Amino acid sequence: MSPEGQIESSGIGIRLKASRERLGWSREELAVRSALSWSAISQVEAGRRRNVRPQTLSALAGALGVTVDYLVDGVPPSSTMLEHRALVYGTDDEFVDVAAPFLREGIRRSEAALVVLKARNIELLRKRLGSDAAAVEFIEAERWYSDPGAAIAAYRALVTAKIEAGAPWVRVVGELLLSGKSEREIARWTRYESLFNLLFASSPVTVFCLYDTRALPEEIVRMALSTHPHTIGRTGIESSSYYADPAGVFLDSQGEISGSGSGATTPVSR
């Protein structure tokens, strides 16, 4: 903190801009909602004003739905920041047409971008991204999704590393390998998807989880509606009316996912 009681941080501008753009707001709209001047917001975002008054930070954080700690140090807030969305698709173009612009938007905002898909889908997405693919980290799903507990640990490590390295946000496109799995395995991964909402609620992360109707039975596709607060449809992002409370789902001491949350274990029928 400066002698005048102002807070100095070189990352405030980056996180302020990321939080504003995540909501689709212009600087003018944030100025209105925070009762601050457009020029002050512009100076902070551009890094020209690094000593920011606590009152200004409080106004900005309150308007954006984040905490002052997040704006200053990148510390995850207690409020929900996670955006966990399901994309149910039936053609290659349906998934690429959504995933590519999503990743490009993150690249433009200097956010960290991770893709965890089957090798075939990685190549489809690489081709669509073109030169932008160089800014994306690609990992084959077989390596990442070998076990629910290991996947959660990997995501925790990834998010921590990216935020500490200066990324204002983390974007992920992932797809579980559920085709041909046993009922027990599917139940474990269903609980994993539900538990994700609790463990990463306060993390600056947006995740698109893909579900391919060509390879998955209808009950697994319905499950996605109960474990993801939002879905991506023809009209854009929508709240899932079938989303179930993940309370009661937890990791035991061996890293296994277990629990009694009804929404986390039972697919919701239409």
Side-chain angles (χ1 to χ4, degrees):
M1 184 172 291
S2 73
E4 299 177 352
Q6 298 176 339
I7 298 172
E8 180 177 358
S9 171
S10 59
I12 290 177
I14 296 173
R15 287 182 285 273
L16 174 61
K17 183 178 180 181
S19 298
R20 173 177 63 77
E21 290 185 338
R22 180 174 62 90
L23 297 174
W25 293 356
S26 65
R27 290 192 181 108
E28 290 82 358
E29 184 165 1
L30 177 55
V32 171
R33 291 175 179 268
S34 63
L36 298 171
S37 69
W38 176 91
S39 62
I41 293 171
S42 178
Q43 289 174 13
V44 174
E45 287 191 353
R48 293 193 299 273
R49 180 184 294 185
R50 294 177 60 180
N51 291 318
V52 186
R53 295 182 181 278
Q55 300 95 315
T56 300
L57 285 169
S58 179
L60 290 170
L64 293 166
V66 299
T67 64
V68 171
D69 284 344
Y70 171 71
L71 290 180
V72 174
D73 298 318
V75 176
S78 58
S79 58
T80 298
M81 294 182 76
L82 172 69
E83 297 169 337
H84 192 202
R85 304 165 182 170
L87 171 61
V88 177
Y89 70 99
T91 68
D92 293 342
D93 283 342
E94 283 181 340
F95 113 73
V96 174
D97 286 347
V98 172
F102 167 71
L103 292 169
R104 283 200 176 102
E105 182 181 47
I107 294 168
R108 179 177 61 83
R109 297 179 181 178
S110 299
E111 299 176 357
L114 175 72
V115 168
V116 187
L117 300 175
K118 295 177 290 187
R120 177 181 179 276
N121 285 349
I122 285 178
E123 289 309 309
L124 289 172
L125 196 49
R126 278 186 184 274
K127 184 176 180 180
R128 178 66 64 88
L129 287 171
S131 60
D132 287 332
V136 178
E137 184 176 353
F138 292 90
I139 298 176
E140 290 193 13
E142 289 81 0
R143 291 171 47 201
W144 193 272
Y145 294 124
S146 61
D147 174 80
I152 283 178
Y155 274 122
R156 277 176 163 165
L158 173 93
V159 172
T160 299
K162 297 301 183 183
I163 296 302
E164 289 182 349
W169 208 268
V170 178
R171 293 186 178 226
V172 179
V173 176
E175 185 168 18
L176 300 179
L177 303 175
L178 298 178
S179 180
K181 297 289 187 182
S182 67
E183 289 187 6
R184 180 179 181 276
E185 289 175 307
I186 291 172
R188 293 182 71 227
W189 283 109
T190 300
R191 290 194 291 269
Y192 158 89
E193 285 279 42
S194 188
L195 181 63
F196 200 96
N197 297 298
L198 295 177
L199 293 180
F200 294 91
S202 62
S203 298
V205 179
T206 301
V207 183
F208 280 10
C209 296
L210 308 183
Y211 288 85
D212 188 350
T213 59
R214 298 169 298 183
L216 299 174
E218 184 179 354
E219 59 267 24
I220 293 180
V221 175
R222 287 201 305 267
M223 173 271 287
L225 303 178
S226 70
T227 56
H228 293 77
H230 297 90
T231 60
I232 307 168
R234 296 182 183 277
T235 60
I237 300 170
E238 305 170 351
S239 295
S240 174
S241 58
Y242 301 106
Y243 178 61
D245 185 354
V249 181
F250 55 90
L251 283 175
D252 65 20
S253 58
Q254 282 72 47
E256 294 291 327
I257 295 179
S258 56
S260 58
S262 60
T265 59
T266 306
V268 178
S269 301
R270 292 183 179 275

